[in-house]
């Protein structure tokens, strides 16, 4: 598809100025960046894809965007900082009371349920470490011994048998996720809803959630050494037992079984970490699926997440609009495994495939155990700035959980920065994907030249006078992605592969990352109805290096919708390059 010319650039920019809801509809979008020394300009042509077919409707819209209009401080040669140091005014998100809880809006066909926790009968207490507890070792679920499975099974029997009003009962534990994820809570001293997805709160909140869930199970067993297992789906080893299938413990033990799982994905079917939300075409050979999974993990955890903001997600402070943007790990593999596990036959992909019901499946806690483990692993990987955010608005964010003694406890992010602080660690199972860089270059390395636009001079961007910092990360930002919260939505991003389509593998050097929405009905973020608007941020420095085009004058970015078939086209408002 040819690049759009400059002739319509003013019309698009003026339209965006007049109406902030002007958007680009994404079926397949080809975005060209041009400029010098990696400081790129943007032009677009758009093609819509619907029901798996390409309807040749061109938008004819083009935007020439000088980087200096987007990146704070770039005129003077400075780089934008996505996770700035804390300012003079502290604004951490806080849940001050569970009394702010309101009913969650549930999807059609869902059994009515009150997701709000029982009221606390005693004052809130601040979390304190219990240094007398033994260290606990979380082991991979596929390697659990029979005695460990029996103990795990017994713990859930006891949890399910608690009175309905007990905040430690399994149904109440599952509803904690529903309340925090479907906007049932309000922030302290604010009318703003509290949402723990699609921002930098995602990882620490879920760490705390699993911590208390684990401690409750241990208390019920009378065993302080009890530790939750983790679902080691990133482990692509072919030996028996397999790590990257649904573990047998969740298929053979009544308290751990959930009938609302995708029946097409039971063993020996391997987990698809880049799952589109639809099963179509032949099942790939296991060797192909393993290679795809390793490639997905490499891009999301190694190559595309070399700074805190890229891995954790965007800053979310008190009073901010929800969903500023999730990190790479939250999109995939987190989101894809949720959707892969949930039942495609259920009206809303219950249980795991939609957030209000996800924690009703005990495998949720094993899934998030692995996500938590990957936070630990990410900080040990070479390259980039792999460290926790230091912003006090992140460190001092506060949540409320019932503990093993049914006390309502206030916790802070800063108290859960390492697993050792909380008394547990993970068994080392290796991370072969960390070196699984795709070597296949599917397309040409330099696809676009200045001839692709009418006037190269108009596309020239002022570059920094000094040399770039080697540690500076080039970030592709897809702005204003507008989606229906209730629908599983996914699109993949490729660099210099304009022919990429729904059949293109992620196991190619041009693959730059993915966007995934796990349905969460009742979400009121971002606009009327169930629509939300967010940004997707992808680190592309390593990808450009691998393709040999870090200093190319132009690159082509292709967005490929996955599994959207009958759904409305994805819309986005623009794109830019930032440096951090």
């Amino acid at each position: 598809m040819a690049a759009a010319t400059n002739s319509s650039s003013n019309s698009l920019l003026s339209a965006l100025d007049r109406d902030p809801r002007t958007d680009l509809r994404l079926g397949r979008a080809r975005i060209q960046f041009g400029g010098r020394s990696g400081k790129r300009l943007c032009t677009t042509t758009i093609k819509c894809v619907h029901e798996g077919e390409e309807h040749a409707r061109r938008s004819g819209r083009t935007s020439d965007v000088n980087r200096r209009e987007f990146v704070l401080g770039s005129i003077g040669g400075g780089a934008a900082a996505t996770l700035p140091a804390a300012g003079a005014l502290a604004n951490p998100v806080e849940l001050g009371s569970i009394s702010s809880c309101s009913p969650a809006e549930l999807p059609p066909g869902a059994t009515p349920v009150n997701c709000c926790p029982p009221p606390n009968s005693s004052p809130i207490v601040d979390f304190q470490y219990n240094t007398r507890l033994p260290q606990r070792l979380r082991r991979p679920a596929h390697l659990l011994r029979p005695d460990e499975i029996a103990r795990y099974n017994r713990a859930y029997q006891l949890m399910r048998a608690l009175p309905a009003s007990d905040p430690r009962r399994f149904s109440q534990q599952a509803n904690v996720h529903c309340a925090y994820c479907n906007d049932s809570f309000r922030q302290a001293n604010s009318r703003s809803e509290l949402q723990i997805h699609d921002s930098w709160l995602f990882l620490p909140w879920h760490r705390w959630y699993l911590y208390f869930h684990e401690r409750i199970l241990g208390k019920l067993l009378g065993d302080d050494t009890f530790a939750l297992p983790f679902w080691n789906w990133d482990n692509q080893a072919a030996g028996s037992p397999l790590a990257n299938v649904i573990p047998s413990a969740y298929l053979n033990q009544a308290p751990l079984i959930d009938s609302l799982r995708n029946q097409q994905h039971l063993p020996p079917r391997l987990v698809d970490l880049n799952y589109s939300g639809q099963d179509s075409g032949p099942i790939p050979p296991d060797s192909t699926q393993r290679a795809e999974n390793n490639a997905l993990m490499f891009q999301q955890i190694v190559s595309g997440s070399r700074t805190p903001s890229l891995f954790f997600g965007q800053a979310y402070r008190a009073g901010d609009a929800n969903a500023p943007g999730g990190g790479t790990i939250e999109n995939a593999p987190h989101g894809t495994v949720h959707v892969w596990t949930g039942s495609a036959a259920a009206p809303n992909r219950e249980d795991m495939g939609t957030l209000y019901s996800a924690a009703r499946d005990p495998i949720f806690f094993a899934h998030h155990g692995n996500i938590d483990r990957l936070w630990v692993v990410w900080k040990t990987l070479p390259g980039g700035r792999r460290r926790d955010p230091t912003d006090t608005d992140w460190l001092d964010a506060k949540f409320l959980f019932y503990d093993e003694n049914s006390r309502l406890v206030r916790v802070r992010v800063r108290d859960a920065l390492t697993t050792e602080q909380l008394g547990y660690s993970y068994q080392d199972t290796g991370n072969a994907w960390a070196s699984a860089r795709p070597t296949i270059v599917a397309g040409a390395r330099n696809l676009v030249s200045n001839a692709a636009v009418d006037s190269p001079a108009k596309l020239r961007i002022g570059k920094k006078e000094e040399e770039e910092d080697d540690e500076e990360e080039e970030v592709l930002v897809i702005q204003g992605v507008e989606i229906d919260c209730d629908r599983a939505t996914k699109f993949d991003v490729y660099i210099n592969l304009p022919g990429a389509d729904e059949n293109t593998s992620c196991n190619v050097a041009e693959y730059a990352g993915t966007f995934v929405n796990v349905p969460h009905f009742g979400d009121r973020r971002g606009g009327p109805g169930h629509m939300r608007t967010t940004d997707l941020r992808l680190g592309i420095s390593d990808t450009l290096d691998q393709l040999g085009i870090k200093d190319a004058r132009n690159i082509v970015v292709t967005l490929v919708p996955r599994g959207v078939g009958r759904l409305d086209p994805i819309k986005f408002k623009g794109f830019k390059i930032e440096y951090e």
Side-chain angles (χ1 to χ4, degrees):
M1 178 167 48
T5 65
N6 294 325
S7 58
S8 59
S9 62
N10 292 335
S11 62
L12 175 60
L13 291 175
S14 60
L16 289 171
D17 289 340
R18 288 196 307 270
D19 182 0
R21 293 190 59 80
T22 299
D23 60 70
L24 305 175
R25 292 178 177 269
L26 169 60
R28 186 179 69 183
R30 177 181 184 270
I31 306 171
Q32 173 184 308
F33 295 89
R36 293 180 182 269
S37 300
K39 305 303 182 282
R40 312 183 200 285
L41 291 167
C42 311
T43 66
T44 65
T45 58
I46 307 298
K47 251 201 307 193
C48 292
V49 176
H50 189 64
E51 297 286 345
E53 298 179 2
E54 294 186 5
H55 300 285
R57 185 178 69 84
R58 274 192 182 172
S59 70
R61 294 172 174 173
T62 309
S63 62
D64 298 341
V65 186
N66 192 308
R67 174 177 174 263
R68 287 174 293 185
E69 298 175 11
F70 286 109
V71 183
L72 180 63
S74 65
I75 294 177
T82 305
L83 290 183
L89 298 177
N91 288 300
V93 167
E94 177 180 356
L95 176 61
S97 168
I98 60 173
S99 63
S100 68
C101 191
S102 60
E105 184 181 358
L106 302 179
T111 301
V113 62
N114 178 15
C115 292
C116 294
N120 52 307
S121 57
S122 57
I124 297 171
V125 298
D126 289 318
F127 175 78
Q128 292 184 339
Y129 298 113
N130 186 345
T131 57
R132 295 173 297 176
L133 291 175
Q135 285 288 311
R136 306 178 299 283
L137 179 66
R138 292 184 179 176
R139 290 183 11 88
H142 70 289
L143 295 181
L144 293 179
R145 301 184 306 269
D147 64 302
E148 292 174 312
I149 294 175
R151 182 173 57 163
Y152 190 31
N153 179 54
R154 177 59 178 162
Y156 272 102
Q157 286 178 331
L158 294 170
M159 180 177 271
R160 290 180 184 274
L162 290 171
S165 60
D166 192 319
R168 304 171 302 165
R169 181 182 170 92
F170 183 76
S171 58
Q172 294 282 6
Q173 288 287 294
N175 287 339
V176 170
H177 194 258
C178 172
Y180 271 100
C181 301
N182 279 58
D183 297 342
S184 289
F185 286 128
R186 297 293 183 272
Q187 298 177 31
N189 304 315
S190 172
R191 298 179 62 183
S192 299
E193 292 138 352
L194 194 160
Q195 171 59 238
I196 50 79
H197 286 91
D198 302 302
S199 79
W200 63 5
L201 296 183
F202 167 75
L203 285 170
W205 184 90
H206 283 86
R207 174 169 285 180
W208 277 118
Y209 184 31
L210 265 64
Y211 169 82
F212 285 108
H213 190 73
E214 179 177 83
R215 292 295 303 128
I216 291 168
L217 291 169
K219 175 79 172 184
L220 294 174
L221 287 171
D223 182 1
D224 286 334
T225 69
F226 175 82
L228 287 168
F230 64 94
W231 184 8
N232 195 196
W233 33 250
D234 60 303
N235 183 347
Q236 305 305 309
S240 180
L242 292 174
N244 57 333
V245 297
I246 294 178
S248 61
Y250 297 91
L251 300 171
N252 302 322
Q253 305 293 324
L256 304 177
I257 292 173
D258 190 301
S259 61
L260 293 178
R261 293 180 188 146
N262 193 321
Q263 298 302 298
Q264 297 182 63
H265 296 166
L266 301 180
R269 185 75 175 267
L270 302 184
V271 177
D272 181 358
L273 299 184
N274 201 31
Y275 184 58
S276 69
Q278 293 182 340
D279 291 291
S280 58
I283 298 173
D286 285 357
S287 58
T288 300
Q289 186 64 73
R290 290 189 177 100
E292 293 266 321
N293 286 345
N294 278 333
L296 182 284
M297 289 296 298
F298 181 86
Q299 184 58 41
Q300 296 295 103
I301 310 300
V302 182
S303 176
S305 58
R306 302 198 302 178
T307 70
S309 72
L310 293 171
F311 184 71
F312 287 87
Q314 294 304 288
Y316 174 41
R317 310 179 197 278
D320 282 357
N322 290 333
T328 55
I329 190 172
E330 183 175 0
N331 278 294
H334 163 259
T336 47
V337 174
H338 263 288
V339 177
W340 183 89
T341 308
S343 174
N348 307 288
R349 305 191 76 99
E350 289 92 345
D351 277 330
M352 274 279 283
T354 184
L355 294 185
Y356 91 91
S357 61
R360 296 178 183 177
D361 189 337
I363 208 170
F364 168 95
F365 298 94
H367 170 46
H368 272 276
N370 205 34
I371 295 295
D372 185 63
R373 181 185 71 88
L374 291 173
W375 177 2
V376 177
V377 172
W378 176 79
K379 290 193 284 188
T380 70
L381 298 174
R385 301 184 295 279
R386 299 180 188 275
R387 52 181 177 265
D388 293 329
T390 57
D391 192 313
T392 55
D393 284 349
W394 184 73
L395 293 168
D396 291 332
K398 300 180 181 68
F399 316 113
L400 297 175
F401 293 96
Y402 278 105
D403 72 0
E404 65 271 26
N405 298 310
S406 299
R407 301 179 305 168
L408 194 59
V409 179
R410 181 186 296 111
V411 301
R412 301 180 301 171
V413 167
R414 70 168 64 247
D415 293 325
L417 300 185
T418 70
T419 62
E420 289 77 16
Q421 284 177 291
L422 298 179
Y424 68 92
S425 60
Y426 288 98
Q427 180 174 324
D428 183 10
T429 59
N431 303 292
W433 46 263
S435 58
R437 179 188 295 278
T439 58
I440 300 171
V441 179
R445 290 180 180 268
N446 290 286
L447 294 170
V448 184
S449 67
N450 284 332
V453 294
D454 284 351
S455 175
K458 288 184 66 177
L459 294 179
R460 189 168 298 163
I461 296 179
K463 62 179 180 179
K464 298 180 184 179
E465 294 182 0
E466 71 275 15
E467 293 184 2
E468 293 181 34
D469 185 343
D470 287 341
E471 287 295 307
E472 191 176 56
E473 181 73 18
E474 187 163 353
V475 180
L476 170 64
V477 185
I478 312 297
Q479 299 172 285
V481 179
E482 184 176 302
I483 58 168
D484 189 332
C485 295
D486 307 343
R487 295 177 174 176
T489 303
K490 185 181 193 299
F491 64 83
D492 291 346
V493 182
Y494 294 86
I495 303 290
N496 272 24
L497 194 60
D501 59 23
E502 58 272 16
N503 298 313
T504 303
S505 168
C506 67
N507 190 21
V508 294
E510 292 90 345
Y511 181 70
T514 190
F515 174 89
V516 178
N517 178 64
V518 180
H520 31 306
F521 195 94
D523 197 325
R524 295 177 286 273
R525 297 177 290 175
H530 302 135
M531 304 304 294
R532 77 173 172 101
T533 302
T534 189
D535 291 345
L536 173 65
R537 301 173 59 86
L538 300 173
I540 61 173
S541 291
D542 187 62
T543 300
L544 298 180
D545 280 344
Q546 176 72 358
L547 294 173
I549 57 173
K550 183 175 182 180
D551 296 322
R553 295 171 66 84
N554 306 276
I555 63 173
V556 174
V557 176
T558 304
L559 311 183
V560 180
R562 304 281 192 181
V564 295
R566 59 184 171 80
L567 307 183
D568 293 334
I570 303 164
K571 296 186 288 186
F572 65 100
K573 299 192 182 306
F575 38 84
K576 62 181 175 179
I577 291 286
E578 288 186 349
Y579 293 80
E580 61 177 59

